[in-house]
Amino acid sequence: MVRRLGRKIRRHSSLSSEIKSKNFFGGFQGGGYKPLSDEDVQKIHRAALNILWEVGMKNPLPILEKVALDKGCKISSAGRLCFPEPLVEDVIDRACKETVLYGRDPIHDIELSGRKVSSYGAGEAVTVLDPGSNDYRPSTIRDVYDIARVVDCLENINSFSRFVVPTEITDLMSADINTAYASLMGTRKHTALSFSSGENVQSVIAMLDIIAGGEGEFAKRPFCHGGGCTVVSPLQYGADNCEVAIESIEMNAPIWVVIAPQSGATAPATLAGSLAQCFAEALASLLLVDLIKPSHPVIFGPWPFVTDLRTGSFSGGGGEEALLGAASAQIANYYGLISSVGAGMTDSKLPDAQSGFEKGISVAMAALAGCNGISESSGMLASLMGCSYESLVIDNEMLGVIMRTVKGIEVSDETLSLDVIKEAVFGDGHFLRSGQTLEKMKSEYFYPEILDRKSQLEWREDGSLDIRKRAEIKVKQILENHSPLYIDKKADSLIRQNFPIQINFS
C-alpha cells in the first residue's frame, strides 16, 4: 500500500512539482538534550572557578596582566595570573550574549544568540582527498578557493572558515593574506579568518577595506572575524594567538576563541576533569578579551578533545568526543554565552559508513544541546588531518537532516489536524489531495538531493551508485559550473598591486 501511494505521489504532477528541497538554514532553538544534570553543571562551573583562582594562568600578555591586577587579580608565588571568583562571575554576566555574523550578502547573515543552532565548516587540514580518489595529497591555495566555491553552493553549511592550509606558501604573512583572499573570492558567506601572528591582522583588514569599498568600510558591516587558540593546555596562554585575538578586536567583529585540551595528555583523563580544565581555560580566554575591551562579542569555544589512550593520538570520532561536545554546549548555555563546539571530527580516512555515523552522532548531539556554532561539521576526515570534497556534499545533507530534528515537532490545534483527518476519512480515504499536504510539505519535511530514496529497481537502473559516487558527481558539477569571482575587478586589481596574491583565475 505504501509503495502504491509513493508511485501515486510521483505521478501527481501538481504535488511532485512542489517536492523541492526545503533546507533548514539554521537558527532553530536546540537545548532539549542535556547530558549533564543541573547539579553536574554547577560542580563543573565551581571547579573551573577554583582552577582559575588556585592554579591560575601562565604567560599572560603584559596588557592583560596590567588590567587584571587593577581588577583584583593576583600573581601567585608560582608566577601565574589568578582570577578571583567575583571578577569571573562579573565578566560572564556582562559578556555579550548575542551577535550577528554578517555575510557579504544579507541572505547569509547568521544571528548567534540563546540556543539558536548554526553550522560552519573549518578544519585547517594539510591534505585533500580529491573526488574519486583514495590517496591524499598536500592542500594548496587553489583548494582554499575551490572548497569555498563548493561551500558557497551548500545551503546547510552556514558560514566558512578555511578547511585547508596552503602548504606551498611558506611565508606566514603571505599565507594569511592569500587564504583570506581565496576564501572571499569563492564565497559570500561569513568567513572566519586565521592569522599566524597579530602583526598580520592590520594588513588583512586593509585588504578587506578594499573589498568592502574603501577605508573603514569593512568595519561597518564586518563579513569576517578573527581569533585563535588562545591557550596552550594545560593552563597557559599562547602568546601568539592571544595577540591575534586582541588585534582582531579592530575588525569590529566577534573574536572566536577555541580551547582544545586533550584528555589524558594535556587534560585529565576523566571527562569531568577535562571539562573543568577546558572551561577554566575558555573563561580565561573570555577574560583576556573582555578585560581589554569590556563586552566585546566573544564566540566562546570550549572544545575538549579526546585521546585514544592506547596510542596517545587524538580521536575525534568516539562517543566520548560527542558527549564532551554536547556537555560543552550545555554549560556554555548555562552561562548564556555565544557558543562554539567542535563536532563532526571523524577518524575515518574516507567518506564511508564510519565517517557517517561518527559525524552524525557528534553533530546531532551538539545541535540538540543548543550549540550556536557547530564547527568541524563538514568535510573533515582523518582526525582533522584531511579534507574531502565529497564529504562536504554528503555532510551538507547530514546537516539538513540534523537541523530538521532541531526544529522539532510543532504541536497545535492546526498541526494535530483533526479536521483534516475527518475530511480524508469521509472523503477520498487519503491525504494526497489535501491542501494541508501541499502546504506543509514545503516546511514540515527536508528533501535530500543525493541521499538515496529510490526503489531497488530505480537504483539499479540508475547505475547502482553509492553515496560517495553521487557526491562525486555533485562536486564535479559545482566545480565545472560555479566559478564565482566575488571580488570585483577594480578591487582585485588594487589588491594585486598591494599584496602578494599567488592565485590566478585565467
Side-chain angles (χ1 to χ4, degrees):
M1 177 64 177
V2 172
R3 197 169 289 174
R4 290 200 301 274
L5 282 173
R7 287 196 295 268
K8 190 168 185 178
I9 288 175
R10 287 192 291 272
R11 290 197 301 268
H12 197 294
S13 60
S14 65
L15 189 60
S16 63
S17 66
E18 298 290 341
I19 302 181
K20 298 177 181 177
S21 179
K22 174 63 179 177
N23 297 290
F24 297 87
F25 294 91
F28 296 117
Q29 294 277 358
Y33 172 57
K34 296 181 178 180
L36 299 169
S37 69
D38 292 344
E39 182 181 3
D40 291 338
V41 171
Q42 280 288 336
K43 287 179 178 178
I44 291 168
H45 170 56
R46 305 309 305 179
L49 293 178
N50 182 282
I51 291 168
L52 286 173
W53 179 242
E54 296 195 3
V55 181
M57 296 294 296
K58 184 180 179 181
N59 199 33
L61 294 180
I63 187 176
L64 172 62
E65 182 176 318
K66 182 180 184 303
V67 68
L69 292 176
D70 290 341
K71 295 294 184 179
C73 297
K74 70 177 183 181
I75 301 295
S76 71
S77 59
R80 306 177 69 90
L81 180 62
C82 301
F83 299 91
E85 177 182 322
L87 175 63
V88 180
E89 297 275 20
D90 286 346
V91 167
I92 293 172
D93 288 344
R94 78 181 184 203
C96 181
K97 302 299 192 295
E98 59 183 38
T99 192
V100 175
L101 300 182
Y102 293 106
R104 285 159 70 200
D105 185 327
I107 195 174
H108 296 306
D109 290 357
I110 304 166
E111 181 185 341
L112 302 181
S113 65
R115 297 175 184 181
K116 292 182 178 179
V117 180
S118 66
S119 68
Y120 68 94
E124 310 232 344
V126 294
T127 61
V128 165
L129 187 67
D130 284 318
S133 174
N134 287 344
D135 295 320
Y136 284 87
R137 59 169 175 79
S139 52
T140 68
I141 190 62
R142 182 73 197 197
D143 289 309
V144 176
Y145 168 71
D146 287 344
I147 292 171
R149 61 191 177 111
V150 171
V151 169
D152 197 53
C153 295
L154 301 179
E155 58 284 339
N156 298 308
I157 303 174
N158 305 134
S159 56
F160 182 81
S161 180
R162 69 179 187 184
F163 287 74
V164 297
V165 299
T167 58
E168 80 277 29
I169 303 177
T170 57
D171 180 79
L172 296 180
M173 168 73 87
S174 182
D176 288 350
I177 289 170
N178 276 273
T179 52
Y181 172 88
S183 300
L184 295 169
M185 188 65 90
T187 184
R188 295 179 68 84
K189 295 182 179 182
H190 184 89
T191 300
L193 299 180
S194 296
F195 299 97
S196 57
S197 169
E199 297 176 352
N200 300 351
V201 174
Q202 287 298 330
S203 294
V204 172
I205 291 176
M207 183 175 70
L208 298 175
D209 272 340
I210 294 173
I211 295 170
E215 185 175 352
E217 291 300 310
F218 167 75
K220 295 178 181 178
R221 184 183 166 85
F223 45 80
C224 302
H225 71 276
C229 300
T230 46
V231 169
V232 177
S233 300
L235 297 161
Q236 175 176 318
Y237 283 115
D240 288 345
N241 275 307
C242 286
E243 290 172 356
V244 167
I246 299 308
E247 288 295 326
S248 294
I249 292 173
E250 295 300 316
M251 298 174 73
N252 196 36
I255 307 300
W256 57 269
V257 293
V258 172
I259 315 302
Q262 201 165 316
S263 64
T266 58
T270 62
L271 301 191
S274 184
L275 281 168
Q277 180 187 308
C278 186
F279 271 84
E281 293 171 337
L283 288 170
S285 299
L286 174 65
L287 287 155
L288 165 73
V289 177
D290 191 274
L291 291 179
I292 291 172
K293 187 177 180 184
S295 300
H296 187 87
V298 172
I299 300 175
F300 185 74
W303 292 20
F305 278 5
V306 168
T307 304
D308 187 323
L309 295 174
R310 299 169 300 178
T311 63
S313 61
F314 163 63
S315 173
E320 300 84 4
E321 186 63 57
L323 197 57
L324 285 170
S328 295
Q330 181 185 351
I331 300 169
N333 286 333
Y334 165 74
Y335 293 144
L337 298 175
I338 303 162
S339 63
S340 167
V341 164
M345 300 178 290
T346 179
D347 300 313
S348 179
K349 313 308 178 288
L350 295 172
D352 56 11
Q354 176 185 342
S355 168
F357 84 73
E358 288 182 341
K359 286 170 178 264
I361 290 171
S362 64
V363 174
M365 288 174 65
L368 293 171
C371 176
N372 295 138
I374 303 173
S375 186
E376 317 295 348
S377 63
S378 52
M380 302 307 295
L381 295 175
S383 307
L384 299 182
M385 295 302 291
C387 180
S388 161
Y389 285 86
E390 295 147 329
S391 282
L392 289 168
V393 170
I394 296 169
D395 297 343
N396 177 66
E397 299 223 330
M398 172 195 72
L399 289 167
V401 171
I402 289 172
M403 287 306 303
R404 180 61 190 91
T405 71
V406 175
K407 185 183 181 186
I409 298 173
E410 178 189 353
V411 180
S412 66
D413 289 345
E414 178 193 1
T415 62
L416 287 170
S417 308
L418 298 184
D419 290 341
V420 178
I421 292 169
K422 291 176 185 177
E423 182 180 346
V425 170
F426 297 113
D428 292 336
H430 61 75
F431 300 85
L432 296 176
R433 294 192 182 92
S434 167
Q436 185 194 62
T437 300
L438 289 169
E439 175 191 354
K440 293 300 181 181
M441 66 181 300
K442 303 174 186 178
S443 59
E444 193 81 348
Y445 299 90
F446 172 78
Y447 298 102
E449 180 181 349
I450 66 164
L451 299 185
D452 178 51
R453 292 182 174 178
K454 298 174 182 175
S455 70
Q456 292 162 302
L457 177 60
E458 290 173 310
W459 173 73
R460 188 167 63 250
E461 288 176 344
D462 287 343
S464 306
L465 304 181
D466 64 15
I467 191 170
R468 184 180 179 190
K469 188 62 180 179
R470 294 193 297 273
E472 177 188 341
I473 293 169
K474 173 75 178 280
V475 169
K476 290 181 177 178
Q477 288 174 342
I478 293 174
L479 293 177
E480 289 172 3
N481 297 294
H482 184 64
S483 299
L485 299 175
Y486 286 131
I487 300 174
D488 66 52
K489 290 183 178 180
K490 182 178 179 181
D492 186 44
S493 177
L494 187 57
I495 289 170
R496 289 177 180 275
Q497 292 173 28
N498 290 277
F499 299 95
I501 301 303
Q502 298 188 34
I503 182 171
N504 293 303
F505 306 98
S506 56

